Amino acid sequence: MSTKYLFVTGGVCSSLGKGLASASIGLLLEKHNLKVSMLKIDPYLNVDPGTMNPFQHGEVYVTDDGAETDLDLGHYFRYTNSPLSRASNATSGQIYNAVISRERKGDYLGQTVQVIPHITDEIKRRILACAKQVEGTDIVLVEVGGTVGDIESLAILEAIRQFRQERPNACLNIHLTYIPLIRAAGEVKTKPTQHSVQGLRAIGIIPDIIICRCEQSLAQDLKDKISLFCSVPKNGVIEAVDVQQTIYELPLHFQAQGIDTLILEKLDLKPKQKTSLHEWETICKQIAQPKGTVTMGLIGKYVKHQDAYKSVIEAIHHGGIANGYKVEIRQFEADRLMEGGSIEENIQGCDGYLIPGGFGERGWMGKIAAAKYCRVNNIPYFGICLGMQALVTEYARNVASLPEANSTEVDPGTPDPVICLISEQEGIENLGGTMRLGAYPCRLTSGSKAAKIYDSEEISERHRHRYEFNNRYKAQLEEAGLLLSGICAERSLVEIAEVAGHPWMIGVQYHPEFQSKPTAPHPLFASFVKAMVEYQKK
Ligand code: GLN
């Protein structure tokens, strides 16, 4: 069977949940035993979101092969089994970069290099490359970032138009729009959807299915009106009503409206098996009826941006699912923990604290103080990346008698650089720091808490950081009671630090949150939530 292509565009405004809708559709298609590959095309000119401020862009999701990508890939991971790699996210920056590099090498043999056909050809090449990640891809689902009508996304939409013209029976367009409710008038409005579809048609794309994001279920006459004005069949108007309890309901709502069978029909695909979303139904029921609630403090620098810690927050909820508990998350600004009182007064009352990844000095002192608070009071503490570095620094200062210990990221002149760049550890000067990105194997010390939690001694986790534990301090810190229970053998790098004798105080240099799914909660998050439940019972 030849590969089919499904394009998801967005209209009216952003933040409608296009990534979640795409991920949910990907899941439903996989449940028909189809091999799905997901691609996100982002219209911005940054080559990748790695250098973008989390306040603007939200989390950077890292793949096994070390690509720094859009956070929608995290949704794809949580809902589907699509292969995720460098080929799963393309940006206009990468596309232009590739074309301009070729032009500089003289590959265009004197031609005038233009948006059409050179940029559009490169976009089409990226769509085909996504399909080639694995053998036998049935469907490539391409999500286009941004909103139809943006100048930035014009070339991408033009490439999709050409792609469809070249493969008339292999492509399908889904357009996600917004149906606002005008409360004062008590009416829902379809006009913005009509205009957005007109915008898409002006580019030469006629959508086959329209997904309507709305607050309340839409009346049939309203759906009929959308069908008439937008030229989609009546069963092609699908509603995406704001979810009640959890985003994991979305695939169930879509399935109930038959979006998957409609897609199969339109693409002339025979369903290979009957779908069952049994495990997703169970998860949603469990989330709606938890055994109890624990409260977790999230101490970070970007807590005001709701997407900055997307995967961490989702993984915590997966830990809740594993234990049948709801986790309420209280967010604390790391650089304000000492304002107007002591840290104890400001953050107390949670059943555990998580310090996620981060960069730079802001909030560092607060993170170290929070680590101390948890260590001294036997409160569960989970440090991820920078949170692990805070755990190690605090332990060095207050337990291993190195009061001036620090990370050279914060204090390049510290006499005790317990965390520093590899180049500094090896005495190479001015080399700068290159980021350690992507999956690395890690060997766990048998009998350690980490080995018990993973129930394995060999793991693979993804990284995104420059600074590392300084092996010069290994013996001294271990003597003081810090168990360095995970090592990346190929480079002798410390990946996990756990405080011996503490109920649950673990720091990991990598990002476990990137590999957690609601259907397969990451063991560290499941165990951390269990520790919070036990702490609460005490
Ligand atoms: N800033 C730290 C480093 O570069 C931690 C990075 C992170 O938490 N992702 O090592």
Side-chain angles (χ1 to χ4, degrees):
M1 188 192 79
S2 64
T3 307
K4 309 281 182 173
Y5 300 87
L6 191 60
F7 298 100
V8 181
T9 51
V12 182
C13 59
S14 58
S15 301
L16 296 180
K18 195 158 19 103
L20 285 173
S22 301
S24 301
I25 293 168
L27 163 71
L28 293 180
L29 295 173
E30 281 184 352
K31 291 290 176 190
H32 286 279
N33 206 14
L34 293 163
K35 253 194 211 172
V36 181
S37 284
M38 312 273 298
L39 170 63
K40 173 83 191 281
I41 308 187
D42 281 308
Y44 50 74
L45 288 177
N46 302 64
V47 170
D48 64 44
T51 51
M52 278 155 97
N53 188 326
F55 278 126
Q56 285 199 17
H57 185 269
E59 161 188 288
V60 174
Y61 184 82
V62 180
T63 55
D64 272 345
D65 64 346
E68 296 178 272
T69 71
D70 186 73
L71 56 80
D72 278 326
L73 272 75
H75 295 312
Y76 304 166
F77 181 88
R78 291 185 278 276
Y79 286 74
T80 76
N81 296 308
S82 160
L84 290 177
S85 74
R86 211 163 278 287
S88 316
N89 190 193
T91 66
S92 291
Q94 283 164 21
I95 288 156
Y96 276 83
N97 210 12
V99 171
I100 292 169
S101 308
R102 255 179 247 141
E103 188 274 336
R104 291 289 84 189
K105 279 196 277 165
D107 289 356
Y108 293 108
L109 305 172
Q111 287 178 61
T112 308
V113 179
Q114 292 174 300
V115 172
I116 305 171
H118 301 103
I119 294 294
T120 48
D121 278 354
E122 178 61 20
I123 296 169
K124 290 190 278 181
R125 196 191 64 74
R126 295 291 302 245
I127 296 170
L128 295 172
C130 177
K132 288 196 197 108
Q133 286 178 94
V134 287
E135 191 85 22
T137 300
D138 296 305
I139 298 193
V140 180
L141 193 155
V142 183
E143 179 193 343
V144 183
T147 308
V148 168
D150 296 346
I151 291 175
E152 285 89 348
S153 47
L154 278 176
I156 301 167
L157 297 173
E158 165 60 15
I160 292 172
R161 183 196 65 77
Q162 294 173 16
F163 199 94
R164 187 164 184 170
Q165 195 200 7
E166 291 154 8
R167 296 167 188 76
N169 301 318
C171 298
L172 198 77
N173 282 84
I174 297 183
H175 190 54
L176 171 70
T177 74
Y178 181 50
I179 308 285
L181 165 67
I182 310 295
R183 279 184 197 281
E187 276 182 52
V188 284
K189 294 293 180 189
T190 65
K191 192 71 81 191
T193 295
Q194 295 176 38
H195 281 178
S196 151
V197 170
Q198 276 165 18
L200 202 53
R201 281 204 219 135
I203 297 164
I205 296 174
I206 300 177
D208 302 279
I209 293 174
I210 292 188
I211 300 179
C212 304
R213 175 72 189 267
C214 44
E215 265 182 67
Q216 296 165 0
S217 191
L218 303 175
Q220 191 55 47
D221 60 335
L222 212 95
K223 289 191 194 166
D224 294 349
K225 187 171 165 191
I226 295 169
S227 153
L228 178 69
F229 279 90
C230 302
S231 257
V232 294
K234 283 189 181 174
N235 63 347
V237 181
I238 306 287
E239 55 183 34
V241 183
D242 296 353
V243 292
Q244 296 281 311
Q245 302 276 351
T246 159
I247 52 169
Y248 300 121
E249 288 166 28
L250 196 55
L252 303 174
H253 296 315
F254 280 174
Q255 193 200 36
Q257 297 174 78
I259 193 171
D260 49 336
T261 41
L262 184 62
I263 292 170
L264 296 188
E265 204 178 284
K266 287 192 173 261
L267 285 174
D268 200 20
L269 286 167
K270 305 268 168 303
K272 291 191 203 159
Q273 69 181 27
K274 184 122 182 56
T275 58
S276 159
L277 285 181
H278 180 69
E279 48 175 353
W280 292 79
E281 283 161 10
T282 312
I283 286 168
C284 292
K285 271 191 208 133
Q286 215 184 321
I287 292 173
Q289 293 163 341
K291 281 189 257 178
T293 303
V294 287
T295 308
M296 188 201 82
L298 179 71
I299 300 174
K301 232 168 95 167
Y302 311 107
V303 291
K304 273 199 212 97
H305 190 300
Q306 63 161 348
D307 282 343
Y309 301 114
K310 192 86 209 160
S311 292
V312 170
I313 290 174
E314 286 310 311
I316 276 295
H317 291 313
H318 305 161
I321 292 170
N323 290 281
Y325 268 70
K326 178 176 172 183
V327 184
E328 218 156 70
I329 299 177
R330 271 173 68 193
Q331 311 216 5
F332 299 98
E333 286 280 359
D335 57 345
R336 302 184 60 185
L337 297 186
M338 272 89 121
E339 265 174 30
S342 67
I343 176 153
E344 289 81 0
E345 288 161 354
N346 286 336
I347 70 171
Q348 68 186 357
C350 297
D351 303 306
Y353 295 84
L354 187 148
I355 302 201
F359 293 84
E361 190 183 352
R362 187 167 72 81
W364 177 241
M365 287 307 290
K367 290 175 187 180
I368 290 187
K372 181 176 180 192
Y373 171 68
C374 291
R375 182 178 54 76
V376 173
N377 296 294
N378 284 325
I379 305 169
Y381 173 100
F382 191 3
I384 294 178
C385 210
L386 191 67
M388 177 263 202
Q389 298 173 356
L391 179 157
V392 169
T393 306
E394 189 281 320
Y395 205 84
R397 287 183 186 180
N398 300 319
V399 185
S401 316
L402 298 167
E404 289 179 76
N406 217 336
S407 161
T408 56
E409 180 176 15
V410 178
D411 177 10
T414 171
D416 288 306
V418 285
I419 305 290
C420 64
L421 297 174
I422 285 284
S423 54
E424 292 166 337
Q425 293 187 33
E426 289 168 357
I428 313 165
E429 272 177 44
N430 296 331
L431 201 75
T434 40
M435 191 90 94
R436 179 146 75 109
L437 282 168
Y440 284 83
C442 170
R443 171 139 271 278
L444 305 180
T445 310
S446 68
S448 64
K449 222 179 221 136
K452 279 188 207 127
I453 290 169
Y454 276 94
D455 192 21
S456 164
E457 287 180 14
E458 279 300 334
I459 58 165
S460 167
E461 293 280 7
R462 299 182 198 161
H463 294 248
R464 180 175 184 252
H465 56 99
R466 287 192 182 82
Y467 294 82
E468 302 280 357
F469 179 92
N470 187 347
N471 281 329
R472 250 178 49 211
Y473 292 91
K474 215 169 158 187
Q476 199 173 348
L477 286 173
E478 285 202 304
E479 226 159 84
L482 196 65
L483 180 58
L484 305 170
S485 54
I487 305 287
C488 176
E490 62 180 62
R491 299 176 63 178
S492 312
L493 296 169
V494 169
E495 310 281 41
I496 307 177
E498 39 185 272
V499 173
H502 187 285
W504 212 102
M505 186 151 191
I506 298 181
V508 295
Q509 186 58 81
Y510 49 81
H511 289 274
E513 70 272 22
F514 294 146
Q515 298 202 83
S516 186
K517 290 175 188 264
T519 50
H522 190 288
L524 279 174
F525 285 91
S527 170
F528 177 55
V529 173
K530 187 163 175 245
M532 289 198 284
V533 171
E534 278 158 15
Y535 177 82
Q536 187 189 56
K537 283 188 183 146
K538 269 192 232 148

